[in-house]
Amino acid sequence: MSQIFSSIKEREEKLLLRSYSRYPLAIVQGKMSRLWDADGKEYVDLLAGIAVTALGHCHEEIAATLEQQAHKLWHVSNLFYQEEQLELAEVLLSTTHHDKVFFCNSGAEANEAAIKLARRYYKKVKQRDAYEIITLEGCFHGRTLGTLAATGRQTLSDGFEPLPEGFRQVPINDIKAMEAAITDKTCAVLLEVVQGEGGVIPLPGDYLKALEALCRKKDILLICDEVQAGFCRTGCFWAFQNYGLQPDIISTAKALANGLPMGAMMATSEVAKGFEAGSHATTFGGGALTSAVATQVVRIMLRDRLAERAAKLGQALIAKLRDLQQRLPGKIKDIRGLGLMLGIEIGENCPQVWQELIHRGFICSLSHNVTLRLLPALTIDEADLTNFVQTLADILASD
Ligand SMILES: *Cc1c(COP(=O)(O)O)cnc(C)c1O
């Protein structure tokens, strides 16, 4: 551990409320898929701020938009009409079948908005006392009290009880369990098409289609949490589009403003009737500065066809990893994912492999201590991915 790093770590321990367990790195600078630490060491970033900086760090065009808007208007509150919000809404809605959007500031908030809209739609529009939301084991929907209840993971909610009522959880890939859990109190199913924090678990298309049909049959809503898997990462603009689903509501955030905090919840015009003026609000939601940046982000994603790029790079990467899996029997337990959202399950020595990757200049995340999770920028050079596979091969072969 270098002196510079130790002193940063020491300062933080004095100053910040303890809530994160950090990686042993202090990052001071970034450029596209490169990061530099406090000692000047260079890294290939395969994590992109947990699927946030999908266009890369300090992208020139985004930086230019940010600067331009910084001299025009930052924030006036949602008491006023702002065209920046409308520009963003137009380009966002062009990517999906949804009709209306609500802007907020994070993934958890987008899910809160989705939960509130689903409940209020049933209470006020359908006039039915249905409020319960069913989620899937292994999911992650955020850290507010409501989204913790939706996430239903004891380790995350320990000490924070009581959580809001009205959530129920079933195992994944079990349509019978889902059917049994739906009652006349159920208003929606909330799911991630590819579970992210759960360890990169793509749900099978057949299951998703059966689940959507079940939602239609029971007259309940389907909500897709696209916070991590959205924005071109899985090979389509939205992950649900890989399977031709038509969710009533989607929640988004992470990559939306390439690192500025922003979230959005989108709904069909029918379900959007659940909100009226005063139903829901947030001070910062859809601020002019973040909206202008996000508009540019989405335009670039569409212009540069980053969904197709993610599909292509993801397929090539998976093929290389499968080849490696065959060459080194027993070293890689599983390879999962869609597009550039990939999990490489290594098993119990995964923490050492992950640490060694950092040592050799590759940053990815360590998921549940057994899986390497890759969420690189969609603009990453293919050579960086090839070098990563080669480095992983060297590490696995020598341990
Ligand atoms: C990160 C994440 C969230 C929470 O987003 P925050 O911005 O941290 O509140 C919700 N759902 C999914 C699928 C996520 O990956």
Side-chain angles (χ1 to χ4, degrees), residues 215-338:
C215 289
R216 301 297 166 234
K217 189 175 112 192
K218 300 278 187 180
D219 194 17
I220 60 174
L221 304 180
L222 177 62
I223 308 173
C224 288
D225 178 341
E226 292 272 348
V227 172
Q228 188 164 145
F231 293 104
C232 302
R233 180 153 296 281
T234 64
C236 287
F237 201 96
W238 303 106
F240 70 80
Q241 291 166 338
N242 284 288
Y243 306 105
L245 305 177
Q246 300 260 306
D248 303 278
I249 303 175
I250 64 172
S251 53
T252 83
K254 290 195 162 87
L256 174 51
N258 207 56
L260 294 189
M262 187 174 217
M265 181 268 287
M266 292 192 270
T268 60
S269 50
E270 170 59 24
V271 176
K273 290 179 194 161
F275 277 178
E276 52 203 321
S279 295
H280 191 47
T282 163
T283 299
F284 289 116
L289 188 71
T290 42
S291 290
V293 167
T295 302
Q296 183 72 330
V297 169
V298 178
R299 282 186 183 148
I300 291 172
M301 284 178 174
L302 293 171
R303 180 195 71 194
D304 295 350
R305 300 177 175 278
L306 292 184
E308 283 167 44
R309 188 166 198 275
K312 206 175 113 244
L313 289 190
Q315 268 165 18
L317 181 55
I318 286 188
K320 287 195 186 90
L321 288 167
R322 291 214 194 288
D323 178 56
L324 179 60
Q325 189 181 28
Q326 285 200 329
R327 277 193 287 132
L328 299 171
K331 301 277 189 179
I332 297 178
K333 307 244 170 339
D334 195 17
I335 299 158
R336 301 182 291 267
L338 206 55

Side-chain angles (χ1 to χ4, degrees), residues 60-245:
E60 286 300 331
E61 283 176 282
I62 304 297
T65 303
L66 179 66
E67 190 176 353
Q68 213 174 19
Q69 185 66 35
H71 295 289
K72 188 170 178 232
L73 185 70
W74 290 35
H75 173 88
V76 288
S77 91
N78 281 306
L79 295 171
F80 300 92
Y81 292 90
Q82 296 154 73
E83 273 192 300
E84 286 86 354
Q85 288 188 0
L86 307 182
E87 301 245 312
L88 175 57
E90 260 163 17
V91 69
L92 261 186
L93 292 170
S94 79
T95 65
T96 176
H97 63 279
H98 298 96
D99 307 297
K100 300 277 174 114
V101 53
F102 174 84
F103 293 118
C104 52
N105 316 289
S106 69
E109 279 185 35
N111 282 325
E112 288 281 344
I115 292 163
K116 287 178 77 173
L117 180 63
R119 283 189 173 181
R120 204 169 188 282
Y121 172 69
Y122 275 86
K123 291 256 160 73
K124 304 290 179 179
V125 179
K126 292 225 164 202
Q127 313 253 319
R128 210 201 286 170
D129 185 29
Y131 54 83
E132 207 164 70
I133 295 187
I134 303 177
T135 61
L136 298 179
E137 285 175 9
C139 71
F140 180 79
H141 299 298
R143 299 280 202 144
T144 59
L145 290 173
T147 56
L148 270 182
T151 297
R153 212 181 299 165
Q154 177 55 33
T155 49
L156 302 186
S157 49
D158 186 32
F160 299 122
E161 297 87 355
L163 299 183
E165 288 172 28
F167 295 90
R168 184 189 275 241
Q169 202 159 67
V170 298
I172 60 171
N173 303 341
D174 186 343
I175 201 79
K176 288 222 165 64
M178 180 62 77
E179 188 151 15
I182 296 171
T183 69
D184 58 359
K185 296 284 181 223
T186 310
C187 70
V189 172
L190 165 62
L191 61 83
E192 298 159 87
V193 167
V194 183
Q195 292 188 332
E197 303 304 306
V200 192
I201 317 284
L203 302 184
D206 291 350
Y207 169 70
L208 288 166
K209 283 192 194 126
L211 204 152
E212 179 177 57
L214 183 61
C215 289
R216 301 297 166 234
K217 189 175 112 192
K218 300 278 187 180
D219 194 17
I220 60 174
L221 304 180
L222 177 62
I223 308 173
C224 288
D225 178 341
E226 292 272 348
V227 172
Q228 188 164 145
F231 293 104
C232 302
R233 180 153 296 281
T234 64
C236 287
F237 201 96
W238 303 106
F240 70 80
Q241 291 166 338
N242 284 288
Y243 306 105
L245 305 177

